Amino acid sequence: MRNILLIVSYDGTNFCGWQKQNDQRTVQEELEKALAFIHKQPVELFGSGRTDSGVHAVGQAANFFSPIDSIPVENYPCALNSILPRDIRIMSAKQVSEDFNSRFSATSRTYHYFIHCGKTAFAHQMPYVWSIRRPVDIDRLNRMAALLHGEMDCATFAAAGDQSLSTFRYIEKARFFYEDDKLVFEICANAFLWKMVRSIVGSLIYYEKKGFDAEDFAGIIESHDRSKAGPTAPSEGLFLWEISFEGTRRHP
Amino acid sequence: MRNILLIVSYDGTNFCGWQKQNDQRTVQEELEKALAFIHKQPVELFGSGRTDSGVHAVGQAANFFSPIDSIPVENYPCALNSILPRDIRIMSAKQVSEDFNSRFSATSRTYHYFIHCGKTAFAHQMPYVWSIRRPVDIDRLNRMAALLHGEMDCATFAAAGDQSLSTFRYIEKARFFYEDDKLVFEICANAFLWKMVRSIVGSLIYYEKKGFDAEDFAGIIESHDRSKAGPTAPSEGLFLWEISFEGTRRHP
């Protein structure tokens, strides 16, 4: 059986997140329905990780074992897109080795978080940004973000209810930059705790407003106390941007 | 009574267009509800023109006569945005002269139409682009678009059911350009026939694919025969971009 990796984009607005749940509209369920329709039998899909309700993706990765060989791999995106709802798009498909698993073969995940700092965001931007309606000091934000680097205990940014055995994660990169009229926070790590990205963004924006700089923010990180985190940033600004796998990186 | 001009942005996805209609969700109705709530009495709103179901706006203009004087003009955007649904945003408010009318004082309207030429648009872009999934010859498109200039009979691009007395319009500008990964068609005219922008875009893309150049397209325009127009482009790519008034232009 061929193992096929899909790169998936979705608009999270009308989804209760990635993972299948009873009686909820989820991305995984819509995809499995489309796969079952094409293959005329149930097909299980393995995502690289969950995303929460309202979170978007441009580069989610998910693999499945195709029970039939008659569909050329390169035809999957078009075949699936023609039956999927418009808020899910398959960006690409490729065959991977039999032991490849989107979750366990992933070496890092990159998220982008979009923030609108101007007075009012346009209506069509609203579902895809956090509108904070004030200017920020991007240099100070970047000095604080630079502390998020390497192997570290991220307990400050763990949501209540997170069931991870360890709160240690390896952060490769965390930085702010401007893109058009938006402020973007990019973070790349081997893995994330539940709601960790939104907790980090919320904390950085919260403490930036309070006038904190790197040395003050170091204390927040090192407290390992989640009551010290700022309010969790809303889901609509968050995009799962890219999953990297061993020896591969799509955007080097 | 103060005459107040609002610049309005909306995401047309979930609206049956601008203009009030029985039992339909429209932008005008949502705005009049919000104005009535703030003023504690009905307030009539005058838009610069209708937009169809699914069409977006970043710079629609609409004015109303405020029945009370106690609200500072500069407070209107914030007051309205706090009660409006998120798919309508008030970008600005200013007091205008008593004889100002958004429709009749407007000297020109500018629309932008967004086209995705790549293989697959990201899911979150889908509600805001026409995805044609093929590359285009932008130089040839621009040679054809350049014919749309000055006072001209636009009957080729008039939709069935249009009730305008004349099909002549004055076109100031019509051109294509690239913005990020999107192809944008910009058109500015004193006024437009019903569905005229979408008919022009649909025709240009249709005849570009057929290999037409300026001289062939001139024949289409001069036929004044709407059966010669290409298929009308879908509403989701269309944005009402800006309304200009006598002596004013916000983006010169």
Side-chain angles (χ1 to χ4, degrees):
Chain A
M1 279 210 274
R2 294 174 302 169
N3 188 3
I4 293 173
L5 170 64
L6 303 175
I7 302 301
V8 185
S9 155
Y10 45 89
D11 180 330
T13 309
N14 297 314
F15 287 107
C16 289
W18 167 266
Q19 174 142 322
K20 254 191 305 190
Q21 302 172 49
N22 288 340
D23 302 328
Q24 304 277 17
R25 184 172 186 256
T26 67
V27 181
Q28 186 184 18
E29 192 183 6
E30 291 284 358
L31 280 168
E32 289 190 350
K33 264 199 288 187
L35 288 168
F37 182 84
I38 283 180
H39 297 97
K40 301 188 176 61
Q41 59 190 288
V43 175
E44 196 178 354
L45 185 68
F46 305 95
S48 71
R50 309 174 189 187
T51 53
D52 283 328
S53 191
V55 174
H56 315 289
V58 302
Q60 170 69 291
N63 69 297
F64 66 95
F65 291 91
S66 172
I68 57 174
D69 286 333
S70 55
I71 305 171
V73 175
E74 63 273 21
N75 289 9
Y76 272 104
C78 189
L80 287 166
N81 286 335
S82 69
I83 55 173
L84 280 166
R86 282 161 52 105
D87 50 1
I88 305 180
R89 294 291 92 187
I90 306 300
M91 305 310 292
S92 67
K94 70 169 182 179
Q95 190 170 347
V96 288
S97 66
E98 219 171 290
D99 60 350
F100 178 95
N101 177 290
S102 295
R103 181 164 166 212
F104 299 110
S105 306
T107 50
S108 74
R109 282 101 174 144
T110 302
Y111 282 88
H112 282 192
Y113 192 99
F114 292 85
I115 298 170
H116 181 89
C117 302
K119 256 165 60 179
T120 309
F122 290 127
H124 69 284
Q125 299 176 323
M126 291 292 287
Y128 313 107
V129 294
W130 179 21
S131 179
I132 62 171
R133 287 189 297 272
R134 65 175 181 87
V136 295
D137 181 343
I138 189 172
D139 295 331
R140 198 144 49 74
L141 278 172
N142 269 327
R143 286 196 296 272
M144 294 196 278
L147 301 172
L148 302 163
H149 192 78
E151 182 78 17
M152 55 192 295
D153 187 345
C154 300
T156 303
F157 310 110
D162 186 281
Q163 299 185 347
S164 310
L165 294 173
S166 159
T167 51
F168 277 79
R169 294 294 182 271
Y170 188 88
I171 301 179
E172 288 178 32
K173 183 162 63 175
R175 60 165 188 141
F176 285 86
F177 60 93
Y178 283 107
E179 191 179 86
D180 303 325
D181 59 342
K182 294 184 213 85
L183 177 69
V184 187
F185 176 65
E186 177 182 44
I187 186 163
C188 176
N190 66 330
F192 291 91
L193 299 167
W194 188 38
K195 294 191 183 172
M196 176 172 149
V197 182
R198 290 162 55 196
S199 177
I200 288 175
V201 175
S203 300
L204 286 164
I205 294 295
Y206 176 77
Y207 285 113
E208 186 274 343
K209 191 175 184 186
K210 279 192 174 302
F212 274 43
D213 210 321
E215 57 191 37
D216 321 297
F217 194 67
I220 303 298
I221 297 173
E222 286 155 20
S223 73
H224 306 144
D225 174 358
R226 65 184 180 79
S227 74
K228 294 276 199 305
T232 304
S235 57
E236 57 262 37
L238 186 57
F239 283 74
L240 173 51
W241 206 254
E242 184 186 359
I243 310 293
S244 298
F245 298 100
E246 272 159 59
T248 72
R249 171 149 290 182
R250 286 180 302 118
H251 310 301
Chain B
M1 279 209 275
R2 294 174 303 167
N3 188 3
I4 293 173
L5 170 64
L6 303 175
I7 301 301
V8 185
S9 155
Y10 45 89
D11 181 330
T13 309
N14 297 314
F15 287 108
C16 289
W18 166 267
Q19 174 142 321
K20 254 191 306 189
Q21 303 171 48
N22 287 340
D23 302 328
Q24 303 278 17
R25 184 172 186 254
T26 66
V27 181
Q28 186 184 19
E29 191 183 8
E30 290 285 357
L31 280 168
E32 288 190 352
K33 266 200 285 188
L35 288 168
F37 182 84
I38 284 180
H39 296 97
K40 301 186 175 62
Q41 59 190 287
V43 176
E44 195 178 356
L45 186 68
F46 305 95
S48 71
R50 310 174 189 186
T51 53
D52 283 329
S53 190
V55 174
H56 315 290
V58 301
Q60 170 69 291
N63 69 298
F64 66 95
F65 291 91
S66 173
I68 57 174
D69 286 333
S70 55
I71 306 172
V73 174
E74 63 273 21
N75 288 10
Y76 272 104
C78 190
L80 287 165
N81 286 334
S82 69
I83 54 172
L84 280 166
R86 282 160 53 103
D87 51 1
I88 305 179
R89 294 291 93 187
I90 305 300
M91 305 310 292
S92 67
K94 71 169 181 179
Q95 190 170 347
V96 287
S97 65
E98 217 171 288
D99 59 351
F100 177 95
N101 177 289
S102 295
R103 181 163 168 215
F104 299 110
S105 305
T107 51
S108 75
R109 282 97 175 147
T110 301
Y111 282 88
H112 282 192
Y113 192 99
F114 292 86
I115 298 170
H116 181 88
C117 302
K119 255 165 59 182
T120 310
F122 290 127
H124 69 282
Q125 299 177 324
M126 291 292 287
Y128 313 107
V129 295
W130 178 21
S131 180
I132 61 171
R133 288 188 295 274
R134 65 174 180 87
V136 295
D137 180 343
I138 189 173
D139 295 330
R140 200 146 46 76
L141 279 171
N142 269 327
R143 285 197 295 275
M144 293 196 279
L147 300 173
L148 302 163
H149 192 78
E151 182 79 16
M152 53 192 297
D153 187 345
C154 300
T156 303
F157 310 110
D162 186 281
Q163 299 185 347
S164 309
L165 295 173
S166 159
T167 51
F168 277 80
R169 293 294 182 271
Y170 187 88
I171 301 179
E172 287 178 33
K173 185 162 61 173
R175 61 169 187 137
F176 286 86
F177 59 92
Y178 283 107
E179 191 180 86
D180 302 326
D181 59 342
K182 293 185 214 85
L183 177 69
V184 187
F185 176 64
E186 177 183 43
I187 187 164
C188 175
N190 67 330
F192 291 92
L193 299 166
W194 187 38
K195 295 191 183 173
M196 175 172 150
V197 182
R198 289 161 56 196
S199 177
I200 288 175
V201 175
S203 300
L204 286 164
I205 295 295
Y206 177 77
Y207 285 113
E208 185 274 341
K209 191 175 183 185
K210 278 192 174 298
F212 274 43
D213 211 322
E215 58 192 34
D216 321 297
F217 194 66
I220 303 297
I221 297 174
E222 285 155 19
S223 73
H224 306 143
D225 174 359
R226 67 184 179 77
S227 74
K228 294 276 200 304
T232 304
S235 57
E236 57 262 37
L238 186 58
F239 283 72
L240 173 52
W241 206 254
E242 184 187 359
I243 310 292
S244 297
F245 298 100
E246 273 160 56
T248 71
R249 172 150 290 182
R250 286 180 302 119
H251 311 299

